[in-house]
Amino acid sequence: MGREAGGKEGIGTGRKSCRVAIVGNPNCGKTTLFNELTGARQKVGNWPGVTIEKKTGFLAVNNRIKAEIIDLPGIYSLSAYSLDERIARDYLLKEKPDAIINIVDASNLERNLFLTTQLLELEIPMIISLNLVDAAEKKNLKIDVDILSSHLHIPVVPTVALKGQGIDKITEMIGNVLLGEWHKKMARVRFGADGEKHISEAEELLHEAAERMNLPLRWLAVKLFEGDKEYELLLENKELLDRINEYRGKAEKMVGEDTETIIADYRYGFVCGLVKEAVTVTADIRITLSEKIDAVIASRILGIPFFALVIFLMFKISIDFSQPGIEYIDSRFALLLNWINDQLFTIGAPGWISYIVVNGVIGGTGTVITFVVPIALVFLCLSFLEDIGYLSRGAFVMDRLMHWMGLPGKAFIPLILGFGCNVPGILATRVMENEKDRLITILINPFISCGARLPVYIMIAGAVFARNVGTVVFSLYAAGILMAITVGLIFRRTILKGPSTPFVMELPPYRLPTLKGILLHTWENVWSFVKRAGTLIVAIILLLVVLGYLPVGVTPNSKDSILGKVGLAVSPVFKPQGFANWKASVALFTGLFAKEAVVGTMGALYGVESINPDSSGGRGRIKSSTLRAKIARDFTPLSAYSFLLFILLYSPCVATMGAISKEAGLKWAVFSVLFNTAAAYIISMGVFQIGTLIKTLF
Amino acid sequence: MDHLSPGERGKVVRINATGDLRQRLLAMGLLPGVEIELVRIAPLGDPLDFKLRNFHLSMRKNEARNIIVERFNHHGQRGRRKRRHWHW
């Protein structure tokens, strides 16, 4: 390796902190490599302005260099079409990291090296992590690393990131590169004699522009020659653009194919040539194990039943299995609450402080923590399915159905999870790539009737409908699904309009996941939920507790509290819906804590003893017969149904608000609260009014 | 390309897609001259699972329609793709 110091000035003097970006295709072990390099010292955030995850971490390269490692989104090329590609491209070209680790899948070299040919043009020092060499061996592919390295003029390190193989070597190589042991002449793809002529002519014209735009000259020339929309807009001198487009027009006329295709063809030509030289196929395998598995579980007959089984198990694990965990945490928290209450009493704290601290701060925290168990289990399942490669098969199987709703197949899992709880449902949209699709899936999720709403249906429908409770509950679930579909279609055509993204998805080979990877992924999601959604949830609960407590001296959450007064003041608003009683209004308020809190509140307000409508959802015992009779007195079947519809559709609970805010931003959480409440108001009103009309007519 | 039957192979002749889709297909190596096989159709009739360059790519019929392929005859005519020489 040449010893001339290329790249950035100053590298190699004293203790330095540098930035190294990991770039590669999706499904080639990029995140695993990132985890191996950075260990637990990671920071997860979002790229500015978007909800796409940004992961950074640190690697002590040697005693002189500490490198910040940036995990860029998985991409297939460096165009400016998809959001992921734009993020990666902007980072590489604007932030200019000190080095790139290009991770490529050794078992799928041809397609992976296409991106490499583009990275080579960025003039950033680069090494290749030739990952999954074990998978390549299983495919009977023998890869000559030296040939790859000498043809590309960059270091190539064979790795198996899953097993930690080759990581030390990568670290060492990165160290060398950062210390300046990198020669600037990386290989470059040549686009044929004619193409090179055109491109060098374009380069002549672009010297100044490239300098001003701070872009590598050849990269800019090639991209403009391909008709890259972003750079065309950025180029100030439109005269130059016309000249380049003139070359382009001529070239395209001559060949009868656009320059984008020709350039891509040359890149693939270069890659094919390289692969032919560096890779020997020792034995031809016509059908891989993955293909055999797919022939069964993605087949026409078994595809859907298998998917249903997977979803069922996931549901079972994340919702049912979490019950003991939730109950355990609940009981521990009850003990904690009592203990804190006692402590506050002994130190002589005023009653109102105890009440607010215990119910608001601690109770609110308790609510957040009870969500940790199901969220952790959902992500455990999701990470497993994603890492093993089944998630894309699920999308393949369900795509047709979801396409009808204007959504991609991957939207199915978040929506299904919503039946358990909307919070993990919304967090699960992380598996979706397209921003708008994801936003729609997040916003329609609260309409999917979650498990917490079921007790409310049972209590009220049970009190009012006597024999048809099952039908009523079923109709509510159906109404929720219908609403989700309708609103999704409306959003797709209005506020989130956009060309529906083309569905072109790789079906990666199945791979054994690692426990470490899955646990890390799960931990990240749980922690970020606690940190970011948790704060909002506790804040809102605190507010409602305070409103229920004041003014000092009244029975909490009674008619005389601020909350009760607000309920009284608000209740006339619900006259068109047929439930203009203050108890219902207050229950709707407390239902914001958690939808099942409606049960506790109704119980408390309808004067059943031993109910504490606290923030943990008021899981008190209810003497149901008396309660039912009292509720039945206040509702007609029609007003009860209208009330139930309202509960189904109105503002998501605080936990869901927190999740939306975390995933899509506070703006969309507020939007969701307002939109859903308005929709609930209008729909319940419609149902009640039409029902009343029909009753008077017959 | 949506007219192939499962198991049938062909050679890409032309890509009529534009914009985003075209770019994605190019990046995936779906270029004129490349061999492609329709492996299976999803249970509900869409999307399709194709194999090219030793990996699997799924796309909807709607997208596949934009890719014109020349079907191989029954004997499974194979043969290496010849490098093109563009004169531009």
Side-chain angles (χ1 to χ4, degrees), chain A residues 15 39 63 88 104 138 145 219 295 328 349 352 362 385 400 479 545 579 599 610 626 687 689:
Chain A
R15 206 182 146 83
N63 49 17
V104 299
K138 270 191 202 132
V145 177
W219 166 257
Y328 179 77
W352 64 273
I362 313 293
L385 291 177
R400 182 78 199 75
V545 165
F579 50 87
V599 175
S610 84
T626 51
V687 166
Q689 293 302 330

Side-chain angles (χ1 to χ4, degrees), chain A residues 77 79 81 110-111 191 194-195 198 225 254-255 258 261 265-266 268 291 295 396 399 403 503 505 507, chain B residues 20 22-23 26-29 31 40 42-43 45-47 51 53 55-56 58-60 63 81 86-88:
Chain A
S77 82
S79 68
Y81 284 103
E110 213 170 292
R111 203 206 53 222
F191 302 106
D194 301 327
H198 289 306
F225 202 64
M254 211 118 79
V255 195
D258 64 0
T261 310
D265 196 61
Y266 270 107
Y268 265 103
E291 287 169 336
F396 176 71
D399 182 74
H403 188 40
F503 180 82
M505 179 185 70
L507 295 171
Chain B
D20 189 2
R22 180 182 192 88
Q23 204 289 319
L26 294 180
M28 294 289 194
L31 291 157
R40 74 173 51 82
D46 202 18
K51 188 175 182 183
R53 296 185 193 267
F55 74 96
H56 286 256
S58 84
M59 64 181 99
R60 290 182 186 144
E63 272 94 48
R81 178 184 166 217
W86 305 97
H87 294 286
W88 44 331

Side-chain angles (χ1 to χ4, degrees), chain A residues 94-126:
Chain A
K94 289 186 186 149
E95 310 277 321
K96 297 200 191 290
D98 300 293
I100 293 174
I101 302 174
N102 174 209
I103 177 164
V104 299
D105 176 354
S107 66
N108 190 0
L109 260 188
E110 213 170 292
R111 203 206 53 222
N112 276 256
L113 286 175
F114 176 79
L115 177 65
T116 309
T117 65
Q118 294 182 323
L119 294 172
L120 287 170
E121 282 160 12
L122 301 186
E123 293 174 9
I124 299 171
M126 180 160 98

Side-chain angles (χ1 to χ4, degrees), chain A residues 414-685:
Chain A
L415 291 179
I416 278 287
L417 286 172
F419 282 111
C421 173
N422 300 126
V423 173
I426 286 163
L427 298 187
T429 57
R430 299 227 131 186
V431 298
M432 299 171 65
E433 297 92 6
N434 181 274
E435 184 89 350
K436 275 184 181 158
D437 292 344
R438 198 168 158 230
L439 205 46
I440 292 177
T441 315
I442 289 172
L443 292 176
I444 65 176
N445 210 298
F447 293 124
I448 301 288
S449 189
C450 66
R453 274 169 264 190
L454 188 61
V456 186
Y457 302 159
I458 291 173
M459 178 177 84
I460 293 169
V464 181
F465 290 97
R467 247 174 289 152
N468 296 318
V469 180
T471 322
V472 168
V473 171
F474 174 78
S475 76
L476 288 167
Y477 271 84
I481 296 168
L482 202 68
M483 189 69 184
I485 295 174
T486 317
V487 170
L489 287 173
I490 291 172
F491 283 178
R492 170 57 88 207
R493 276 163 187 72
T494 54
I495 51 169
L496 290 169
K497 196 151 53 182
S500 78
T501 39
F503 180 82
V504 177
M505 179 185 70
E506 189 192 356
L507 295 171
Y510 291 106
R511 280 187 190 122
L512 273 183
T514 55
L515 190 64
K516 186 177 164 191
I518 292 174
L519 290 179
L520 208 60
H521 192 196
T522 306
W523 164 247
E524 277 163 21
N525 280 292
V526 170
W527 179 234
S528 86
F529 168 78
V530 170
K531 218 170 43 182
R532 294 168 65 185
T535 356
L536 183 65
I537 296 172
V538 173
I540 293 178
I541 288 178
L542 198 59
L543 179 72
L544 288 176
V545 165
V546 171
L547 290 179
Y549 184 76
L550 294 175
V552 181
V554 300
T555 319
N557 292 342
S558 73
K559 213 179 196 168
D560 304 318
S561 66
I562 293 184
L563 198 59
K565 288 202 176 111
V566 171
L568 262 175
V570 165
S571 61
V573 171
F574 296 114
K575 205 164 171 57
Q577 285 77 11
F579 50 87
N581 72 69
W582 73 272
K583 292 170 190 162
S585 303
V586 170
L588 290 177
F589 262 111
T590 54
L592 295 176
F593 287 129
K595 296 259 168 145
E596 76 261 33
V598 170
V599 175
T601 311
M602 297 285 275
L605 298 182
Y606 278 95
V608 185
E609 63 270 36
S610 84
I611 297 293
N612 178 22
D614 64 13
S615 46
S616 62
R619 293 182 184 83
R621 305 265 173 281
I622 296 167
K623 284 183 188 162
S624 45
S625 58
T626 51
L627 177 61
R628 283 184 173 193
K630 283 180 182 166
I631 290 176
R633 238 179 283 146
D634 266 2
F635 287 95
T636 64
L638 189 59
S639 68
Y641 196 75
S642 146
F643 185 55
L644 286 172
L645 261 183
F646 195 89
I647 287 173
L648 164 71
L649 302 175
Y650 86 121
S651 166
C653 67
V654 283
T656 310
M657 286 178 215
I660 297 174
S661 160
K662 169 179 175 291
E663 294 302 313
L666 188 62
K667 192 183 78 178
W668 285 108
V670 173
F671 171 85
S672 181
V673 169
L674 298 178
F675 179 88
N676 294 14
T677 308
Y681 190 80
I682 293 166
I683 290 171
S684 317
M685 179 168 72

